[in-house]
């Protein structure tokens, strides 16, 4: 079958793509920016990629006519706390318009479980998208999932942050809300199982794991699996806003995502039936098994995708191409260079920067900067990095976003997503004469930006000087 995969560079899309190829399907990936599609060369050669923004105006002949089926994996929940529902509705309507030009037979939509009349804004939006898609000229199959647990999923990473960092938690009442977590592996089984399965056409199915748990029980189980104990005490005084701040400061989530998650966590998310499980013969995994499988992937450095690499995890919600040209005028720079003896080893050091490796000099100062960034509403350092030795364009890297990762030409360009009175770039490149250049560029916004830069000069002198020396000599 020829399949259109929307949201192909998202958390679910990146997991689904290799499975579809293994099943022998021809895949057309729809992304907004080809340059930040983090896939290997072998996969790249096996697919077609089209650049399309479903929030933009319709463009005729953008999608191949001979599409047989499509996966609709477009979500905007974390890009805003106010109008994400409007954006999701626009995307769905635009998608339907594009599908009118194709021979498509089936669309598969991954939604959220909706079993409460008083839905959160997030779940109301998912249900509204479902209703819009049902108006398309194709058979719709809707899979409604609750909490998805897997390496790199937002749910898993938030639980991980909370349990690993807080031996004692004073929690809001929503930790007593019931939910039905499902392993990412099982989500993939359902997504691939319904493809072309006519008994699932024009129907909606709840999918969940074998257990109904409270968020508190999920936290406690995680701790037991990891071999430690935690204390959890629930208080009734935490408002949704306070709960959001609690999640934001303790975990790596953005405040916008925290607000929308807290809004949803007040609602019970429990599957109504297991019709699809019986129809497809899928044996789902327990929550404990899902946690263990996630850590198995992490320990083997086999994490395929992470929600943190999504643009919505940071401050850039526009096209990366708008930032990739480093300005030359009206900027302040700190440029350092050093001769190197082993460019390949130095390049490997550059490609390992950030995350657990750190920044090669004065890591405690980088952590302090991340702490203050978090206090001021920024992303902080907690996002880390998805892979220990690979970097792709579009990845998050602590409080930076990767604008360009060109290992062949020995160049890495980062853009700051921390809170700043201006814009900042950090570039590493190795030239043919074996010289390592490290350039920090800052475009200030007004006098406040210039004061910030000059106040940081003493720190820059030590931090950037020590960093380039250690990268070159480690």
């Amino acid at each position: 079958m020829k399949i259109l995969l929307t949201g192909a560079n998202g958390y679910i899309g990146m997991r689904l793509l290799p499975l579809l190829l293994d099943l022998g399907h021809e895949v057309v990936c729809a992304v907004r920016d080809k340059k930040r599609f983090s896939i290997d060369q072998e996969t790249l050669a096996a697919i077609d990629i089209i650049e399309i923004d479903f929030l933009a105006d319709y463009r005729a002949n953008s999608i191949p006519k001979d599409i047989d089926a499509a996966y609709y994996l477009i979500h905007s929940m974390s890009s805003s706390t106010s109008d994400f529902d409007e954006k999701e509705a626009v995307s769905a309507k635009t998608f339907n318009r594009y599908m009118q030009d194709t021979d498509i037979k089936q669309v598969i939509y991954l939604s959220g479980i909706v079993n409460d009349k008083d839905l959160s804004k997030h779940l109301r939006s998912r249900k509204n998208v479902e209703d819009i898609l049902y108006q398309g000229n194709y058979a719709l199959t809707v899979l409604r999932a609750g909490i998805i647990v897997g390496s790199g999923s937002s749910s898993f990473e938030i639980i991980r942050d909370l349990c690993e960092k807080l031996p004692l938690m004073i929690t809001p009442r929503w930790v007593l809300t019931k939910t039905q977590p499902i392993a990412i592996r099982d989500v993939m089984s359902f997504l691939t199982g319904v493809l072309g399965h006519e008994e699932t056409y024009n129907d909606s199915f709840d999918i969940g794991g074998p257990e109904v748990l409270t968020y508190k029980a999920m936290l406690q189980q995680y701790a037991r699996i990891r071999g430690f104990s935690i204390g959890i005490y629930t208080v009734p005084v935490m408002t949704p806003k306070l709960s959001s701040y609690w999640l934001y400061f303790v975990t790596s989530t953005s405040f916008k995502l925290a607000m929308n998650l807290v809004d949803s966590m007040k609602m019970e998310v429990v599957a109504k039936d297991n019709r699809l499980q019986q129809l497809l013969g899928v044996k789902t995994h327990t929550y404990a098994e899902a946690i263990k499988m996630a850590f198995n992937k992490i320990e083997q450095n086999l994490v395929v995708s992470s929600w943190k690499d999504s643009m919505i995890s940071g401050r850039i919600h526009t096209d990366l191409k708008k930032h990739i040209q480093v300005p030359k005028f009206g900027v302040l720079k700190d440029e350092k260079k050093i001769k190197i003896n082993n460019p390949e080893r130095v390049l490997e050091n550059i490609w390992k920067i950030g995350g657990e490796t750190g920044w090669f000099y004065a890591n405690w100062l980088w952590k302090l900067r991340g702490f203050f960034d978090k206090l001021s509403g920024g992303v902080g350092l907690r996002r880390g990095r998805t892979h220990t030795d690979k970097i792709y364009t579009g990845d998050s890297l602590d409080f930076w976003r990767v604008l360009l990762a060109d290992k062949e030409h020995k160049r890495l360009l980062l853009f700051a997503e921390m809170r700043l009175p201006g814009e900042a770039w950090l570039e590493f490149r190795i030239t043919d004469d074996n010289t390592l250049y490290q350039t920090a560029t800052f475009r200030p916004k007004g006098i406040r930006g210039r004061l910030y830069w000059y106040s940081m000069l003493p720190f820059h002198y030590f931090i950037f000087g020590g960093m380039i020396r250690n990268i070159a000599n480690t």
Side-chain angles (χ1 to χ4, degrees):
M1 295 177 66
K2 191 168 186 177
I3 299 168
L4 175 69
L5 181 61
T6 67
N9 53 358
Y11 176 73
I12 299 293
M14 290 286 288
R15 303 288 177 118
L16 186 58
L17 174 57
L19 297 179
L20 294 175
L21 292 176
D22 287 343
L23 290 170
H25 298 296
E26 184 181 353
V27 182
V28 178
C29 294
V31 297
R32 281 191 293 181
D33 186 352
K34 291 180 181 180
K35 291 185 177 179
R36 62 171 302 264
F37 196 15
S38 308
I39 55 175
D40 57 66
Q41 291 300 313
E42 183 179 351
T43 303
L44 187 62
I47 63 174
D48 292 320
I49 304 175
I50 56 175
E51 280 189 329
I52 187 166
D53 184 355
F54 289 99
L55 285 173
D57 292 336
Y58 164 80
R59 291 183 291 112
N61 304 316
S62 297
I63 295 175
K65 179 178 174 57
D66 57 345
I67 292 292
D68 296 304
Y71 285 92
Y72 190 83
L73 303 175
I74 301 170
H75 300 302
S76 303
M77 183 181 75
S78 306
S79 62
S80 169
T81 56
S82 57
D83 64 348
F84 71 86
D85 52 340
E86 297 172 16
K87 292 179 179 179
E88 292 191 337
V90 168
S91 292
K93 291 174 182 177
T94 306
F95 174 82
N96 278 349
R97 176 65 186 87
Y98 277 107
M99 292 304 101
Q100 290 176 11
D101 300 336
T102 71
D103 300 324
I104 193 165
K105 301 174 183 66
Q106 181 191 23
V107 170
I108 300 165
Y109 171 48
L110 182 60
S111 183
I113 293 177
V114 286
N115 54 11
D116 195 319
K117 292 182 180 179
D118 185 22
L119 298 174
S120 66
K121 187 175 182 178
H122 159 222
L123 291 176
R124 281 199 309 272
S125 178
R126 296 287 169 91
K127 182 61 171 64
N128 184 47
V129 168
E130 182 179 325
D131 293 340
I132 293 170
L133 294 179
Y134 265 119
Q135 299 169 18
N137 62 325
Y138 45 75
L140 180 67
T141 301
V142 180
L143 304 184
R144 296 170 172 170
I147 297 295
I148 297 176
V149 182
S151 56
S153 74
S154 59
S155 304
F156 172 77
E157 295 297 340
I158 288 171
I159 290 169
R160 185 183 181 188
D161 278 345
L162 289 173
C163 292
E164 300 282 354
K165 296 170 183 175
L166 295 178
L168 177 65
M169 298 184 209
I170 307 299
T171 61
R173 282 186 293 186
W174 52 252
V175 298
L176 302 178
T177 303
K178 292 178 181 178
T179 186
Q180 194 165 352
I182 182 170
I184 183 64
R185 187 174 301 184
D186 298 333
V187 174
M188 294 298 110
S189 296
F190 285 119
L191 284 171
T192 55
V194 297
L195 181 62
H197 201 302
E198 294 188 6
E199 289 184 64
T200 68
Y201 285 9
N202 293 315
D203 205 349
S204 301
F205 303 89
D206 289 352
I207 58 173
E211 304 161 291
V212 175
L213 302 168
T214 63
Y215 291 105
K216 180 177 180 178
M218 291 171 65
L219 293 167
Q220 291 170 327
Q221 273 203 46
Y222 176 96
R224 282 197 297 271
I225 291 166
R226 294 287 287 152
F228 56 81
S229 59
I230 54 174
I232 302 176
Y233 300 92
T234 305
V235 294
V237 294
M238 275 200 183
T239 64
K241 193 164 188 177
L242 281 175
S243 297
S244 302
Y245 278 118
W246 181 73
L247 271 185
Y248 168 68
F249 282 114
V250 175
T251 73
S252 55
T253 185
S254 66
F255 182 70
K256 291 176 182 178
L257 178 58
M259 283 282 287
N260 289 319
L261 284 175
V262 167
D263 189 35
S264 295
M265 284 172 170
K266 296 179 292 183
M267 312 294 170
E268 286 197 355
V269 182
V270 179
K272 295 176 182 176
D273 61 66
N274 61 354
R275 287 182 299 139
L276 190 61
Q277 184 177 339
Q278 295 172 347
L279 182 63
L280 301 181
V282 175
K283 185 179 184 303
T284 56
H285 295 81
T286 65
Y287 172 69
E289 289 170 336
I291 293 292
K292 291 174 183 177
M293 288 188 294
F295 271 102
N296 186 47
K297 293 289 186 183
I298 293 169
E299 288 163 3
Q300 296 182 55
N301 194 26
L302 294 175
V303 179
V304 177
S305 60
S306 173
W307 78 273
K308 297 175 187 177
D309 290 329
S310 167
M311 299 296 284
I312 57 177
S313 76
R315 296 177 61 204
I316 305 177
H317 304 308
T318 57
D319 195 328
L320 287 180
K321 291 193 286 286
K322 294 181 179 180
H323 302 277
I324 200 167
Q325 191 65 43
V326 182
K328 296 181 179 179
F329 303 101
V331 298
L332 301 165
K333 285 192 176 186
D334 183 299
E335 184 175 78
K336 301 192 182 323
K337 63 180 181 179
I338 189 172
K339 279 288 186 179
I340 56 178
N341 297 320
N342 190 336
E344 295 305 321
R345 177 178 55 77
V346 173
L347 187 64
E348 291 303 320
N349 286 342
I350 294 171
W351 248 247
K352 292 178 182 177
I353 202 165
E356 292 184 6
T357 299
W359 292 85
F360 286 91
Y361 187 80
N363 279 326
W364 68 274
L365 284 175
W366 287 92
K367 291 178 181 178
L368 187 63
R369 181 65 181 87
F371 172 75
F372 284 118
D373 186 57
K374 198 77 170 176
L375 285 180
S376 64
V379 297
L381 281 180
R382 290 195 179 117
R383 291 187 305 182
R385 52 181 293 167
T386 301
H387 308 282
T388 58
D389 57 357
K390 295 190 290 286
I391 300 177
Y392 297 102
T393 297
D395 282 2
S396 65
L397 191 60
D398 290 336
F399 45 48
W400 301 90
R401 178 71 60 176
V402 180
L403 295 181
L404 179 68
D406 188 345
K407 209 167 187 180
E408 181 182 353
H409 294 97
K410 301 181 176 66
R411 185 181 177 216
L412 178 66
L413 178 62
L414 310 176
F415 183 80
E417 291 193 298
M418 66 190 88
R419 292 280 183 179
L420 291 169
E423 298 170 298
W425 292 259
L426 181 60
E427 180 179 5
F428 301 92
R429 60 187 174 91
I430 300 173
T431 56
D432 292 338
D433 63 350
N434 289 348
T435 301
L436 168 63
Y437 287 86
Q438 174 188 284
T439 307
T441 303
F442 184 68
R443 179 161 60 187
K445 291 184 179 178
I447 187 64
R448 184 165 165 260
R450 292 183 176 276
L451 289 174
Y452 169 83
W453 174 264
Y454 289 117
S455 69
M456 296 298 291
L457 278 181
F459 299 100
H460 290 171
Y461 177 80
F462 290 106
I463 292 173
F464 290 141
M467 184 166 64
I468 192 172
R469 287 193 302 273
N470 287 345
I471 289 174
N473 299 317
T474 298

